[in-house]
Amino acid sequence: MRAPRPVRPPRTPYPGLRSSRPGAAGSTALRMPAAGRGQADPGPPRQREPRQPRRLPPHSAASPAAARPAALALVILLSFASRFHRLAEPPHVCWDETHFGKMGSYYINRTFFFDVHPPLGKMLIGLAGYLSGYDGTFPFQKPGDRYEQHNYVGMRGFCAFLGSCLVPLVYLTVLELSKSLPAALLTAFLLIFDTGCITLSQYILLDPILMFFLMGAVLSMVKCNSCADRPFSASWWFWMSLTGVSLAGAMGVKFVGLFVVLLVGLNTMHDLWDLLGNLSLSLVMFGKHLLARVLCLILLPVALYTAVFAVHFTVLNKSGPGDGFFSSAFQSQLIGNNLHNISVPEHLAYGSVVTMKNLRMAGGYLHSHWHLYPEGVGARQQQVTAYLHKDLNNFWIIKKHDSDTDLSDPSIPVEFLRHGDIIRLEHKETSRNLHSHQHEAPLTRKHFQVTAYGINGTGDSNDFWRIEVVGRKAEKLIRVLRSQVRLTHVATGCILGSSGKILPKWGWEQLEVTCTPYLKETPNSLWNFEDHINPKLPNISLDVLKPSFAEILLESHMVMIQGNTALKPKDNEVTSKPWHWPINYQGLRFSGVNETDYRVYLLGNPVIWWLNLITIGLYLLITVSTAVALKRGVQLTSELKELSRVVLRGGGQIMLGWLLHYLPFFMMGRVLYFHHYFPAMLFSSMLTGITWDTLLKFFAGFWTPSTTARKVYGAGFLALVLLIIYSFYLFHPLSYGIVGPMASDPSSPMAGLRWMDSWEF
Amino acid sequence: MLGFLKEPVIVNVEINMNIMVLSLMGLISRLWGLSYPRAVVFDEVYYGQFVSLYMKRIFFVDDSGPPFGHMLLALGGYLGGFDGNFLWNRIGAEYSMNVPVWSLRLLPALAGALCVPLAYQILVELQFSHCAALGAALLILLENSLITQSRFMLLESILIFFILLAVLSYLKFYNLQKHSSFSGSWWFWLLLTGVACSCAVGVKYMGLFTYILLLTIAGLHFWHVIGDQNLSNVSLMCHFLARGLALIVIPVAMYVSFFYVHLTLLYRSGPHDQIMTSAFQASLEGGLARITQGQPLEVAYGSQITLRNVLGKPMQCWLHSHTNTYPIRYENGRGSSHQQQVTCYPFKDVNNWWIVKDPGMQQLVVSNPPRPVRHGDIVQLVHGITTRYLNTHDVAAPVSPHSQEVSCYIDYNISMPAQNLWRVEIVNRESDTDVWKTILSEVRFVHVNTSAVLKLSGASLPEWGYRQLEVVGEKLSKGYHQSMVWNVEEHRYGKSLEQKEREVELHSPTQMDISKNLSFMAKFTELQWKILTLKNEDTEHKYSSSALDWITMDTNIAYWLHPTSTAQIHLLGNVVTWASANVAALIYMCLSLWYLIRRRRKIYDIPEDAWQLWVSAGGICVGGWAVNYLPFFGMEKTLFLYHYLPALTFQILLIPIVLQHIRDHLCRSVLLKSMFTALIVAWFSSVYFVYCAFSPVTYGEPSLSVTELKDLRWKDSWNILIRKQ
């Protein structure tokens, strides 16, 4: 059971630091109760001791009113200076700019594309490019392409701007959590002088945008918590809705934003639980609290997130490289797609020429071509595959299984295809029939091989397939696009499906098509008819198929999730492992490999990163010992109580953030990169600021005269800051570009700094 | 002298008849007709081969889990005098006379039978009434799926037994904690918790979930102990150390000891050797050891060696070359150097031999004394049969064009000079002056001119390369990957000066002295690593299911079908029990949430001690269900219904808990109470009825008629085998 909420102390800028404590007892931090536990209250005798008011940290001693804006201004200045320095260098495409720059161009050109991340980040990049006069004509083909006359600085500048704003956000968050200016300054310096953060902010990437929204959400959450004593005030509403807006932003840039949603969600649940336990609050008031949170933290972000997608689909209305990933119905919405504004006959009939699309996400069309399966792979007959692109070889003719009359003859009456009919599918280009037999499939060994067999439509009884509509049994006719059908092989009873595995070179790296003997109903074994040509039938317009916005939204998410899980590392590929990241084991080459190149290498400032790593261990140690001490009933002085509150409450929130942004990567199967750690690194840096500030205050407490204590504290703080700045001086070429020999050469600017063999500069 | 006769001899024996009767019923239900059917049933075909290998002491690797479970099964075979001679090739194959079917199936059946009294005792320790405890035991007793799974040579029943044992001993320990810390029985139950946990983990990695759950609960309980201010700091420390010892140190030690026994028992080389490193293979009797026994240890200039790629995927292979050259143009029009092919070849061959040469000297023999090659030395590698030098250059490799081609250099006089210097980097070196050792050293070859690393690309070459594996020079070598590391497998000091003699020498087997033995820890870490990382091809199975199907039992598994009659065995649960367990879990969660919120508002519906019981029972049962079930949603392996059984066991234990709670606290009037009791009795008889209805497919006899079988198909998704007439 939780203790009732403590009454908040009056809001002073530094409540913890103002307090005084008895000088005699000041040298021992934790005071154990004496053997007899009756005297747990040592209050009265102590009060008679002379009080020595002491202000520990030097910064807070200076007039806080003046120090705060000045410090903030300094932080902003340094942050912008470090991020905008040499922004235009190198004037060629660096690393993933090739993707995100290209996608920005797509927005400007309004062509539809597909990416595994939600659209907000790329939309903002596109917008920044548009506003700064970039015309969307640069192809962004591969890293290293020179920009020439194209205006790219606008897009980079936008990312750098958000990257610079990140630092003040972090600064304000720490200030709010710890109420200590030095802790906030220390955190800000850690981020300003981290080469990794600088590099990541200087290019056209999603990460600065993501981190900006992420920190925005954390800051507003923390601010909102501080407003808890004045619920429903204007600032309370402001910060809470700002949290919601930032959450939508973070989710809209990358799915990694989900972690910060979790963080805010946990915080809100904790908050509500506290309110519920507050018996002075009526249930009606509690309901109001609950509603306000549902409104600001669920409905508002969902609405914004949906709006982002609405804009995305409205802007991108031309056919582009992403079409094939989406269903036929969706494609009919895109200008320039061959399904756009066309009209086709609705019901399938014998003699119709059709294409069949697998219902698996990104499934491909049933396809065949003149090439045979190579020797040793089943029977040496013509290949049947699934192919993602539109092609003449995707066309099949529906024929009766028992007669081979020419159905295009206008004198023959139209006969519609019905559920349960037995048909033959003839490949239009090669005039062979879709065929299966009990040979094992090329990749999925337990399935049967599917081939195209026969000459000019004459085959054998293994060419017969039963066509069945799935779902609506009552519907007898088969409709184009809308009917989901299953093709059962009559002779063996297996079902035509696509396994989604990629065939080797001989199959032109198209997808495998098999006949599966397992009768499970999965999208792998379902198909729909997409194109449909039959001159004898009346056409209907496809606009009736127009999917609703909700359907589009759902489908695009399914495709994105599928795309994300499909990013699997190959077998012999060296990949980055999550445990590499906090130890700064290996960076990423942004630009340049050889000695003559202008080289940029994404690597954290090792001094800062290793300090962060040590601090996590230190923090755990401090937390465990403090928690155990409190549980054992050790009496703390008021000052230490304040310190432990900062460490346990503030630090705890940050620690939770770090864990939420780091641990899930261990369970991810997809390809991981070093830069995935940066959101977690922000939390880690905040933790460092808070922990070291607390530690310094704690140890400075051992020196008795307050002036010495203040000096010790100041010296420690200064040493840390100088260490950070000096290490930045050593490693700054990583971000701002290295020209000249590799680090192994003594004449290199980085000579002697390759502290780990795995660093590649 | 005969004074003792004056007093009557009194022996007080306390026998809990409940437990005795339950155990007896458990034994009857699980052991009845155990050796029927006398044929391979379902996964016996899989576990049986390991039992055979144990009997023959042949080494194997099974990626499905640690070896303790296999060893227990093998123990049954050992006790029954099984000689291991049976071909485990298909389900349904008749057992030959030398297979002791009864004793092979005995241990799992015993474990399954003992789960019944364990369930009883767990509820007693959770401080629920004997009626509730009896109910739980009977539900476990009458659960068809648990019976089926216990009656064959399978591991789930053993796993469930150890899981329940661990939970029971922890509860016993916790209840003793309150009044008699550090007493004998306190220690006994604490240690038994650790031992049972490690056995559970040793049988299947699934046991880890319950282990973690118990650790968490123990941690929470210890947190309360910390808060107990009557305890001195010293005794607190003792409590902490005792728990650490029993719950962490001992389980880890036991786990390692399973592997120790496993590796001691299996000392002969066998079918899975090639998965392991050369050093490991050499430690087994027969196989590679026969070849490498007595090789010289240190590789010297002039040594004749074969180089094995450490990765061993897609198959083990050795660096190889042959007289054929790369085609001048590939199919896609790219050009090659047209020099001699270098590949990786999965079979032993005389063309796998290479000679280590000092670039500064001409001779290809080992000097006396031999000059060993050290880390960082520059060498040339000469192909033994063709005497061409291993070479790489800035030409795209045939299949992986991002990497450099590796060839044996042929001088065509076309201003493409030989680049055949390689730096030897020993990856697992202890110091920078380490000597390159046979088998033990893992070596990278770094090309001196281009700093490319010799690597197995994993792709295989087309027809012109005889489908051998491609070897490339990887220029952008990012860190360590096993495909770039090689070790010397066969090795001898070359003595022949002439090429003709050398060819004869290469064809002759290696000889000579020293043998190498791997330490147990090295073998253990390697085997453990292989078990964890070995991935079988994603296989699709007719009866595989997804985790979501399990709650509602939408799927079954056909275990066995009589070759002629319709008798068959299925893994099918007791429908009523499964449904009630789900309802119980749902009620538990809703009620808990309700109580929790009300308590937060200081409204106490039930007495405090009843609340504590409710919470701790839920922590074990709902927690046990969740940790054994939810992780399957994130798993990518092929899943079967039997994976759900541990979770189901916990869920079943929850039914009587919820029932008793409702009866005691929610039925306010006597009338309601008696009505509820009547309802429970009715429900129990339906459980018994369903058990009886499904027992023909649980025990495999009697065989049912087609209509009876069709009547048993209660759900459309069940696959009951009906022969076509």
Side-chain angles (χ1 to χ4, degrees):
Chain A
M1 204 188 307
R2 299 185 63 86
R5 226 171 142 69
V7 181
R8 285 195 156 266
R11 289 172 58 79
T12 52
Y14 311 102
L17 309 173
R18 284 278 184 82
S19 59
S20 55
R21 53 184 204 160
S27 56
T28 45
L30 306 179
R31 197 178 305 118
M32 296 289 289
R37 293 179 2 86
Q39 26 176 304
D41 178 23
R46 270 203 291 151
Q47 273 184 359
R48 261 173 262 121
E49 291 175 51
R51 287 189 151 208
Q52 293 183 356
R54 216 170 68 196
R55 292 177 177 183
L56 278 177
H59 286 81
S60 65
S63 123
R68 273 188 167 189
L72 184 59
L74 175 76
V75 165
I76 293 176
L77 187 75
L78 280 176
S79 174
F80 274 82
S82 62
R83 267 66 177 167
F84 278 87
H85 178 63
R86 306 192 68 170
L87 183 66
E89 295 289 319
H92 57 242
V93 178
C94 289
W95 197 53
D96 269 1
E97 283 189 339
T98 171
H99 298 305
F100 302 121
K102 197 191 291 168
M103 290 166 189
S105 311
Y106 284 139
Y107 279 103
I108 295 174
N109 299 327
R110 309 191 69 175
T111 41
F112 188 76
F113 69 94
F114 162 72
D115 185 37
V116 295
H117 304 300
L120 179 64
K122 287 147 311 194
M123 248 151 67
L124 290 176
I125 289 174
L127 183 69
Y130 181 71
L131 293 179
S132 63
Y134 166 64
D135 54 2
T137 49
F138 185 70
F140 283 101
Q141 258 166 356
K142 60 174 191 304
D145 289 355
R146 303 194 74 79
Y147 283 112
E148 308 293 353
Q149 81 286 3
H150 296 278
N151 186 355
Y152 62 98
V153 183
M155 289 188 276
R156 277 195 189 170
F158 170 70
C159 291
F161 174 77
L162 292 186
S164 316
C165 291
L166 192 62
V167 182
L169 290 181
V170 170
Y171 166 86
L172 291 173
T173 309
V174 176
L175 194 61
E176 195 63 44
L177 280 176
S178 68
K179 311 281 181 215
S180 158
L181 190 62
L185 272 177
L186 190 61
T187 312
F189 284 141
L190 286 173
L191 292 183
I192 291 171
F193 294 117
D194 178 46
T195 49
C197 286
I198 294 177
T199 313
L200 206 60
S201 305
Q202 283 196 313
Y203 300 94
I204 309 171
L205 298 174
L206 295 185
D207 302 79
I209 311 174
L210 169 75
M211 292 200 286
F212 171 79
F213 283 120
L214 193 157
M215 273 332 292
V218 174
L219 173 66
S220 7
M221 176 186 92
V222 169
K223 284 275 186 192
C224 187
N225 285 349
S226 306
C227 296
D229 51 344
R230 329 163 242 145
F232 307 107
S233 64
S235 61
W236 187 85
W237 278 112
F238 172 74
W239 288 116
M240 189 171 283
S241 40
L242 196 61
T243 314
V245 173
S246 311
L247 287 184
M251 270 300 280
V253 177
K254 272 190 178 189
F255 284 127
V256 183
L258 197 65
F259 302 145
V260 77
V261 174
L262 266 177
L263 179 69
V264 173
L266 288 176
N267 177 67
T268 311
M269 270 157 64
H270 179 257
D271 218 25
L272 284 174
W273 190 244
D274 269 354
L275 290 175
L276 188 65
N278 183 356
L279 289 181
S280 62
L281 216 63
S282 72
L283 274 182
V284 178
M285 270 311 276
F286 177 75
K288 277 188 189 165
H289 272 284
L290 185 68
L291 270 183
R293 281 163 177 82
V294 169
L295 186 72
C296 291
L297 301 178
I298 297 178
L299 296 182
L300 178 68
V302 168
L304 285 176
Y305 183 75
T306 320
V308 166
F309 273 86
V311 174
H312 172 75
F313 288 116
T314 322
V315 170
L316 302 182
N317 57 2
K318 291 183 199 159
S319 166
D323 293 11
F325 290 93
F326 287 81
S327 67
S328 322
F330 179 81
Q331 291 180 32
S332 66
Q333 303 297 302
L334 297 170
I335 303 169
N337 189 292
N338 59 351
L339 289 177
H340 182 68
N341 270 347
I342 59 153
S343 44
V344 293
E346 185 174 22
H347 298 290
L348 279 105
Y350 288 103
S352 291
V353 177
V354 293
T355 61
M356 290 173 70
K357 191 169 196 296
N358 192 244
L359 283 188
R360 225 174 128 265
M361 288 297 169
Y365 301 95
L366 189 69
H367 178 97
S368 183
H369 39 231
W370 280 109
H371 305 270
L372 305 185
Y373 282 105
E375 220 156 309
V377 182
R380 215 166 137 67
Q381 297 173 359
Q382 185 169 306
Q383 297 173 14
V384 172
T385 64
Y387 187 48
L388 274 169
H389 300 272
K390 309 212 161 189
D391 188 285
L392 276 182
N393 273 325
N394 298 344
F395 284 102
W396 300 80
I397 309 172
I398 300 173
K399 295 207 164 173
K400 289 201 158 182
H401 73 281
D402 46 1
S403 75
D404 203 31
T405 45
D406 185 14
L407 292 158
S408 60
D409 184 351
S411 63
I412 297 174
V414 173
E415 189 180 345
F416 285 110
L417 204 58
R418 279 164 198 285
H419 170 81
D421 279 4
I422 292 176
I423 58 162
R424 209 151 42 83
L425 277 176
E426 186 180 310
H427 189 236
K428 188 159 181 274
E429 292 294 303
T430 61
S431 296
R432 294 188 199 275
N433 294 329
L434 188 72
H435 178 98
S436 180
H437 43 217
Q438 297 207 339
H439 287 271
E440 62 183 28
L443 300 178
T444 317
R445 289 293 158 89
K446 289 190 171 174
H447 294 185
F448 298 137
Q449 185 192 27
V450 175
T451 65
Y453 176 75
I455 295 169
N456 287 331
T458 321
D460 63 11
S461 62
N462 271 334
D463 302 347
F464 300 158
W465 301 83
R466 188 180 317 111
I467 186 163
E468 287 159 324
V469 184
V470 177
R472 298 173 219 157
K473 288 245 166 87
E475 189 181 27
K476 290 292 185 191
L477 293 179
I478 293 162
R479 302 203 286 181
V480 73
L481 288 165
R482 267 186 281 191
S483 293
Q484 306 188 347
V485 303
R486 190 169 60 188
L487 285 175
T488 312
H489 191 236
V490 176
T492 56
C494 61
I495 298 172
L496 185 74
S498 165
S499 67
K501 294 180 189 162
I502 297 168
L503 292 171
K505 276 249 167 73
W506 56 255
W508 310 98
E509 290 167 355
Q510 296 169 4
L511 305 177
E512 185 194 35
V513 166
T514 63
C515 195
T516 162
Y518 308 119
L519 310 178
K520 285 237 180 74
E521 203 157 282
T522 61
N524 286 13
S525 53
L526 293 180
W527 303 81
N528 73 349
F529 293 96
E530 190 168 297
D531 300 272
H532 180 202
I533 305 162
N534 194 335
K536 290 195 277 184
L537 294 174
N539 289 351
I540 59 150
S541 168
L542 266 182
D543 278 351
V544 291
L545 285 176
K546 183 179 179 184
S548 70
F549 178 68
E551 280 169 347
I552 294 179
L553 198 64
L554 183 71
E555 183 180 352
S556 61
H557 277 82
M558 296 303 290
V559 175
M560 277 190 280
I561 291 167
Q562 167 102 5
N564 257 317
T565 45
L567 291 175
K568 287 259 164 67
K570 295 189 190 84
D571 235 2
N572 284 14
E573 201 174 26
V574 184
T575 48
S576 184
K577 301 275 185 322
W579 62 266
H580 289 171
W581 303 339
I583 52 177
N584 210 13
Y585 178 77
Q586 199 167 43
L588 273 171
R589 281 204 188 93
F590 265 43
S591 148
V593 177
N594 295 323
E595 304 202 342
T596 47
D597 297 336
Y598 181 94
R599 301 192 301 278
V600 176
Y601 189 64
L602 175 73
L603 185 76
N605 181 338
V607 174
I608 292 176
W609 283 53
W610 293 342
L611 185 69
N612 281 347
L613 190 64
I614 295 168
T615 310
I616 289 169
L618 265 179
Y619 175 77
L620 289 178
L621 211 68
I622 295 173
T623 323
V624 171
S625 44
T626 317
V628 169
L630 287 175
K631 187 82 183 168
R632 292 294 288 166
V634 177
Q635 297 297 315
L636 299 182
T637 60
S638 61
E639 222 155 81
L640 280 174
K641 260 187 199 146
E642 177 57 25
L643 282 187
S644 68
R645 192 196 67 80
V646 168
V647 164
L648 292 181
R649 286 288 309 277
Q653 272 174 322
I654 300 299
M655 188 72 191
L656 183 67
W658 181 74
L659 290 174
L660 282 176
H661 283 85
Y662 180 45
L663 292 189
F665 286 105
F666 282 94
M667 287 181 279
M668 280 190 198
R670 62 163 281 176
V671 184
L672 298 172
Y673 298 100
F674 176 55
H675 71 108
H676 288 150
Y677 183 67
F678 277 83
M681 187 267 176
L682 297 180
F683 286 99
S684 181
S685 301
M686 290 197 267
L687 194 68
T688 308
I690 293 178
T691 310
W692 281 93
D693 181 56
T694 314
L695 265 183
L696 284 176
K697 275 181 194 156
F698 177 68
F699 282 112
F702 285 116
W703 275 267
T704 25
S706 65
T707 44
T708 329
R710 208 184 300 159
K711 271 181 200 154
V712 168
Y713 177 86
F717 178 75
L718 209 63
L720 278 175
V721 172
L722 286 178
L723 180 72
I724 291 165
I725 294 178
Y726 179 66
S727 64
F728 175 68
Y729 165 74
L730 288 179
F731 284 95
H732 75 273
L734 288 179
S735 314
Y736 298 133
I738 318 167
V739 191
M742 305 302 274
S744 47
D745 192 317
S747 63
S748 157
M750 300 304 291
L753 290 175
R754 206 166 151 232
W755 295 343
M756 283 175 82
D757 281 344
S758 47
W759 296 347
E760 303 142 315
F761 52 80
Chain B
M1 202 176 154
L2 294 174
F4 67 91
L5 285 178
K6 286 175 189 157
E7 295 285 321
V9 182
I10 297 170
V11 181
N12 282 320
V13 184
E14 201 174 83
I15 298 177
N16 186 335
M17 282 315 284
N18 281 1
I19 290 188
M20 296 311 289
V21 170
L22 283 175
S23 307
L24 197 67
M25 283 160 70
L27 287 173
I28 292 172
S29 68
R30 267 65 175 175
L31 264 69
W32 186 267
L34 192 60
S35 40
Y36 173 85
R38 214 184 146 73
V40 180
V41 175
F42 194 57
D43 268 357
E44 286 189 342
V45 73
Y46 180 73
Y47 293 116
Q49 50 181 330
F50 299 130
V51 172
S52 280
L53 289 172
Y54 269 114
M55 295 301 122
K56 296 181 172 177
R57 305 297 192 82
I58 292 174
F59 176 78
F60 67 85
V61 182
D62 176 23
D63 62 327
S64 72
F68 184 57
H70 303 346
M71 281 192 306
L72 283 181
L73 295 180
L75 179 68
Y78 175 76
L79 295 177
F82 182 39
D83 55 5
N85 288 325
F86 184 75
L87 194 62
W88 307 88
N89 57 355
R90 69 180 175 86
I91 296 173
E94 190 96 1
Y95 280 123
S96 53
M97 284 317 291
N98 64 328
V99 185
V101 185
W102 193 80
S103 60
L104 277 173
R105 288 178 183 163
L106 178 64
L107 279 178
L110 277 181
L114 291 180
C115 288
V116 178
L118 277 179
Y120 174 84
Q121 202 56 35
I122 285 178
L123 277 223
V124 171
E125 290 299 326
L126 281 172
Q127 303 181 6
F128 282 83
S129 71
H130 283 268
C131 262
L134 213 56
L138 287 178
L139 285 175
I140 299 276
L141 181 75
L142 298 180
E143 174 50 52
N144 301 56
S145 57
L146 291 178
I147 297 177
T148 311
Q149 199 68 13
S150 311
R151 287 169 50 83
F152 302 103
M153 205 165 56
L154 305 170
L155 292 181
E156 273 70 24
S157 66
I158 306 180
L159 171 72
I160 294 173
F161 169 75
F162 282 122
I163 288 177
L164 290 184
L165 183 65
V167 170
L168 174 65
S169 11
Y170 183 78
L171 288 174
K172 286 251 186 202
F173 156 77
Y174 177 67
N175 289 337
L176 283 168
Q177 163 80 27
K178 288 168 195 155
H179 44 89
S180 53
S181 296
F182 297 108
S183 65
S185 49
W186 184 89
W187 273 110
F188 173 76
W189 291 114
L190 177 61
L191 290 174
L192 190 60
T193 312
V195 170
C197 280
S198 65
C199 287
V201 177
V203 172
K204 281 204 152 200
Y205 281 122
M206 253 191 92
L208 212 55
F209 299 137
T210 312
Y211 179 45
I212 292 172
L213 176 74
L214 281 183
L215 277 186
T216 316
I217 292 177
L220 283 176
H221 285 161
F222 185 64
W223 186 243
H224 293 304
V225 177
I226 292 180
D228 178 3
Q229 318 233 337
N230 294 319
L231 230 54
S232 74
N233 284 349
V234 176
S235 61
L236 190 69
M237 207 60 208
C238 291
H239 270 287
F240 180 72
L241 289 178
R243 282 167 171 81
L245 175 78
L247 298 181
I248 293 172
V249 177
I250 288 185
V252 170
M254 291 247 330
Y255 180 77
V256 176
S257 71
F258 296 148
F259 277 84
Y260 184 78
V261 177
H262 178 75
L263 287 170
T264 323
L265 284 177
L266 306 179
Y267 59 86
R268 297 199 181 122
S269 77
H272 298 162
D273 279 15
Q274 73 283 355
I275 301 170
M276 311 306 287
T277 59
S278 306
F280 194 99
Q281 292 182 39
S283 73
L284 295 170
E285 193 177 278
L288 185 66
R290 216 173 318 162
I291 303 169
T292 57
Q293 210 170 35
Q295 287 183 156
L297 180 65
E298 297 183 345
V299 176
Y301 292 106
S303 277
Q304 299 174 350
I305 55 175
T306 62
L307 286 167
R308 179 185 191 262
N309 191 277
V310 170
L311 181 63
K313 277 181 225 163
M315 52 195 99
Q316 63 163 351
C317 65
W318 292 270
L319 190 68
H320 179 96
S321 181
H322 38 236
T323 46
N324 303 63
T325 54
Y326 288 111
I328 299 181
R329 295 234 163 263
Y330 299 122
E331 283 165 6
N332 56 5
R334 272 192 300 118
S336 83
S337 68
H338 196 44
Q339 293 177 358
Q340 184 171 308
Q341 295 172 14
V342 171
T343 65
C344 200
Y345 187 55
F347 302 98
K348 302 245 170 184
D349 187 85
V350 69
N351 270 324
N352 297 348
W353 284 94
W354 298 82
I355 302 168
V356 182
K357 179 179 169 292
D358 183 349
M361 312 232 285
Q362 275 310 312
Q363 70 207 34
L364 293 177
V365 293
V366 176
S367 58
N368 198 10
R371 285 192 304 127
V373 182
R374 291 175 190 281
H375 171 75
D377 282 358
I378 305 229
V379 301
Q380 289 168 320
L381 288 175
V382 185
H383 185 239
I385 295 294
T386 60
T387 57
R388 296 225 155 96
Y389 289 73
L390 187 74
N391 184 69
T392 183
H393 39 222
D394 194 11
V395 174
V399 182
S400 320
H402 296 296
S403 314
Q404 291 192 154
E405 177 192 274
V406 174
S407 64
C408 270
Y409 184 71
I410 304 177
D411 192 0
Y412 290 118
N413 263 331
I414 46 160
S415 70
M416 190 185 248
Q419 303 181 25
N420 51 23
L421 298 181
W422 299 85
R423 191 170 59 247
V424 175
E425 288 188 4
I426 301 174
V427 179
N428 56 348
R429 63 183 182 270
E430 271 148 24
S431 73
D432 276 354
T433 54
D434 254 18
V435 176
W436 183 6
K437 298 195 187 82
T438 312
I439 292 184
L440 302 176
S441 293
E442 297 184 343
V443 179
R444 293 199 325 163
F445 295 98
V446 183
H447 192 235
V448 173
N449 300 58
T450 59
S451 63
V453 180
L454 193 69
K455 176 187 169 181
L456 176 70
S457 74
S460 50
L461 295 172
E463 217 44 72
W464 52 258
Y466 306 100
R467 306 222 168 268
Q468 295 173 7
L469 298 169
E470 185 196 34
V471 170
V472 298
E474 174 73 40
K475 242 175 130 177
L476 301 169
S477 73
K478 283 176 111 194
Y480 172 87
H481 192 272
Q482 286 192 324
S483 61
M484 299 178 199
V485 186
W486 304 78
N487 71 300
V488 171
E489 191 161 285
E490 293 177 65
H491 175 215
R492 74 185 135 219
Y493 286 155
K495 294 201 203 74
S496 336
L497 291 166
E498 289 301 313
Q499 175 62 16
K500 277 273 172 286
E501 284 175 47
R502 201 175 298 125
E503 278 182 28
V504 175
E505 193 178 70
L506 289 172
H507 277 101
S508 64
T510 45
Q511 2 60 36
M512 279 172 281
D513 27 288
I514 17 166
S515 71
K516 286 157 285 288
N517 251 331
L518 221 52
S519 74
F520 164 68
M521 274 329 273
K523 280 159 98 175
F524 164 69
T525 37
E526 184 183 338
L527 182 57
Q528 176 69 82
W529 184 245
K530 294 280 172 184
I531 287 178
L532 290 180
T533 54
L534 202 65
K535 275 200 198 88
N536 273 343
E537 264 286 295
D538 236 8
T539 50
E540 201 175 349
H541 192 281
K542 191 170 180 188
Y543 289 103
S544 66
S545 46
S546 72
L548 214 57
D549 298 338
W550 300 341
I551 297 195
T552 47
M553 205 169 57
D554 274 340
T555 166
N556 70 324
I557 307 178
Y559 270 20
W560 174 78
L561 175 66
H562 193 277
T564 51
S565 76
T566 55
Q568 48 191 300
I569 296 178
H570 287 269
L571 182 70
L572 258 182
N574 189 323
V575 184
V576 178
T577 313
W578 286 53
S580 333
N582 289 329
V583 173
L586 203 65
I587 292 179
Y588 181 87
M589 286 188 262
C590 294
L591 267 183
S592 300
L593 193 66
W594 173 248
Y595 287 150
L596 213 62
I597 291 177
R598 302 256 297 170
R599 286 172 66 85
R600 191 73 189 154
R601 299 299 292 183
K602 302 272 187 297
I603 305 166
Y604 300 100
D605 300 289
I606 51 173
E608 184 61 26
D609 53 341
W611 168 247
Q612 288 302 334
L613 285 188
W614 180 248
V615 169
S616 59
I620 298 262
C621 296
V622 178
W625 172 76
V627 295
N628 281 300
Y629 177 49
L630 300 183
F632 283 104
F633 285 98
M635 281 189 201
E636 286 178 0
K637 60 177 199 168
T638 321
L639 298 177
F640 293 95
L641 182 63
Y642 61 72
H643 285 128
Y644 185 57
L645 295 182
L648 176 77
T649 313
F650 280 107
Q651 216 188 9
I652 290 177
L653 294 186
L654 194 64
I655 301 176
I657 292 173
V658 171
L659 288 181
Q660 195 191 339
H661 181 85
I662 292 178
R663 190 180 170 281
D664 290 356
H665 299 285
L666 299 187
C667 298
R668 295 280 157 83
S669 70
V670 182
L671 180 68
L672 264 179
K673 270 188 193 179
S674 42
M675 274 172 66
F676 191 70
T677 315
L679 210 67
I680 291 177
V681 171
W683 165 77
F684 234 108
S685 35
S686 74
V687 170
Y688 180 71
F689 164 75
V690 173
Y691 161 76
C692 291
F694 282 94
S695 70
V697 290
T698 302
Y699 292 97
E701 57 188 355
S703 64
L704 298 176
S705 70
V706 173
T707 40
E708 282 172 313
L709 283 175
K710 278 187 180 153
D711 286 346
L712 270 189
R713 198 159 161 247
W714 291 13
K715 281 195 178 180
D716 287 343
S717 50
W718 289 354
N719 199 348
I720 299 222
L721 307 173
I722 295 168
R723 280 180 206 282
K724 283 181 188 159
Q725 298 301 319

